[in-house]
């Protein structure tokens, strides 16, 4: 079944650690996105990619980085986690022909930095 | 002024009644409009999209778009307790240059009272 997967689902980690949040999709979508969402707040775009070797920063400034070496894989990395990075991170993908840009979201990673 | 505005609620509606959710947006160049449903602790799920003025119906859901007034709404007929969730309005801002990622409103928390 085609889908979009995020791991881990929950992560609690100490300050200063390097972390990578995984996102993979099996739908062959060109476009992938990372959003950040704090509880009760709106989603903010932090990174996006239109294809392999294409990555751009989104509207919300983030210390994280992303890579897109394969179409299906769009990992997000924090080199040195801080408590201010505590949030939910949602990965999404879309096909240029799908619902004029509607997204499919992964289940999210809830990150807590202590 | 926020780009996409929604009343955060909570909006309380009796079971079986019509729930009406509203959204306004600031960018007149916006092309496509989406409604997502997000249950607590879960990722958003696309339920409707619309890009032409007027109404679009899908089952119990009707999306309404008025570009002149920069207004989008979602009607849910015969509301069920399972409809209780946060409803996110999202707007695709433009297609040329920069991110064509969706901009999300903060969401309206809907409660269907049995």
């Amino acid at each position: 079944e085609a889908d979009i997967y995020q791991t881990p689902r929950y992560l609690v980690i100490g300050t200063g650690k390097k972390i990578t949040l995984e996102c993979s999709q099996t739908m062959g979508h060109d476009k992938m996105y990372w959003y950040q969402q704090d509880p009760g707040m709106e989603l903010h775009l932090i990174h996006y990619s239109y294809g392999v070797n294409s990555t751009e920063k989104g509207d919300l400034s983030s210390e994280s980085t992303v890579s897109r070496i394969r179409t299906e894989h769009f990992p997000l990395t924090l080199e040195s986690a801080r408590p201010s990075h505590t949030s939910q991170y949602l990965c999404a993908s879309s096909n240029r022909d799908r619902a004029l840009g509607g997204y499919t979201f992964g289940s999210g990673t809830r990150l807590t930095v202590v | 002024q926020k780009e996409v505005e929604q009343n955060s609620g909570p909006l309380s509606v009796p079971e079986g009644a019509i729930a009406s959710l509203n959204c306004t947006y600031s960018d007149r160049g916006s092309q496509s409009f989406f409604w997502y449903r997000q249950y607590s602790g879960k990722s958003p799920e696309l339920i409707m999209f619309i890009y032409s003025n007027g109404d679009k119906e899908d089952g119990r859901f009707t999306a309404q778009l008025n570009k002149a007034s920069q207004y989008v709404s979602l009607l849910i007929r015969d509301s069920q307790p399972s409809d209780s969730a946060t409803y996110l309005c999202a707007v695709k801002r433009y297609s040329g240059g920069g991110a064509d990622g969706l901009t999300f409103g903060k969401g309206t928390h809907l409660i269907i009272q049995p």
Side-chain angles (χ1 to χ4, degrees):
Chain A
E1 179 181 325
D3 212 334
I4 181 164
Y5 305 95
Q6 287 187 248
T7 57
R9 184 73 180 89
Y10 301 94
L11 178 61
V12 180
I13 200 161
T15 298
K17 299 292 186 182
K18 178 180 178 178
I19 59 171
T20 296
L21 308 184
E22 301 288 347
C23 177
S24 296
Q25 49 97 3
T26 59
M27 296 172 282
H29 286 173
D30 298 320
K31 299 180 180 181
M32 297 188 74
Y33 310 84
W34 277 102
Y35 280 82
Q36 185 175 339
Q37 185 182 32
D38 293 324
M41 302 299 288
E42 58 262 61
L43 285 83
H44 290 288
L45 180 67
I46 53 174
H47 297 284
Y48 62 99
S49 167
Y50 291 163
V52 171
N53 294 326
S54 156
T55 61
E56 300 287 345
K57 288 190 177 294
D59 303 321
L60 182 68
S61 176
S62 174
E63 294 167 343
S64 59
T65 59
V66 292
S67 62
R68 189 89 182 276
I69 298 172
R70 303 197 314 268
T71 299
E72 62 272 20
H73 195 212
F74 191 40
L76 181 146
T77 298
L78 276 166
E79 290 292 333
S80 180
R82 295 207 302 268
S84 61
H85 297 139
T86 295
S87 188
Q88 172 152 271
Y89 293 84
L90 289 160
C91 182
S93 70
S94 72
N95 185 308
R96 67 189 73 185
D97 296 321
R98 180 183 183 276
L100 301 177
Y103 293 177
T104 301
F105 279 92
S107 56
T109 294
R110 189 169 296 280
L111 173 66
T112 303
V113 183
V114 297
Chain B
Q1 179 189 9
K2 285 184 175 288
E3 291 186 52
V4 180
E5 295 218 48
Q6 297 179 255
N7 188 325
S8 60
L11 174 64
S12 187
V13 174
E15 183 176 357
I18 296 175
S20 177
L21 305 164
N22 305 315
C23 171
T24 58
Y25 60 95
S26 60
D27 186 349
R28 286 194 172 274
S30 300
Q31 298 181 332
S32 309
F33 307 86
F34 303 82
W35 283 100
Y36 284 82
R37 178 176 60 201
Q38 186 175 27
Y39 293 113
S40 180
K42 302 294 186 182
S43 59
E45 171 193 11
L46 178 66
I47 54 173
M48 288 285 291
F49 71 93
I50 187 168
Y51 55 91
S52 297
N53 277 326
D55 295 358
K56 179 181 179 182
E57 187 175 318
D58 183 2
R60 295 187 297 113
F61 298 97
T62 298
Q64 299 175 317
L65 174 61
N66 184 326
K67 289 187 177 180
S69 300
Q70 296 175 243
Y71 177 89
V72 191
S73 66
L74 178 70
L75 302 178
I76 306 174
R77 289 182 299 281
D78 187 24
S79 297
Q80 303 296 312
S82 60
D83 294 328
S84 298
T86 296
Y87 288 80
L88 307 175
C89 173
V91 174
K92 183 178 180 182
R93 293 164 293 166
Y94 45 80
S95 61
D100 69 350
L102 299 181
T103 298
F104 286 84
K106 194 173 177 178
T108 297
H109 182 44
L110 175 66
I111 300 171
I112 306 300
Q113 297 175 319

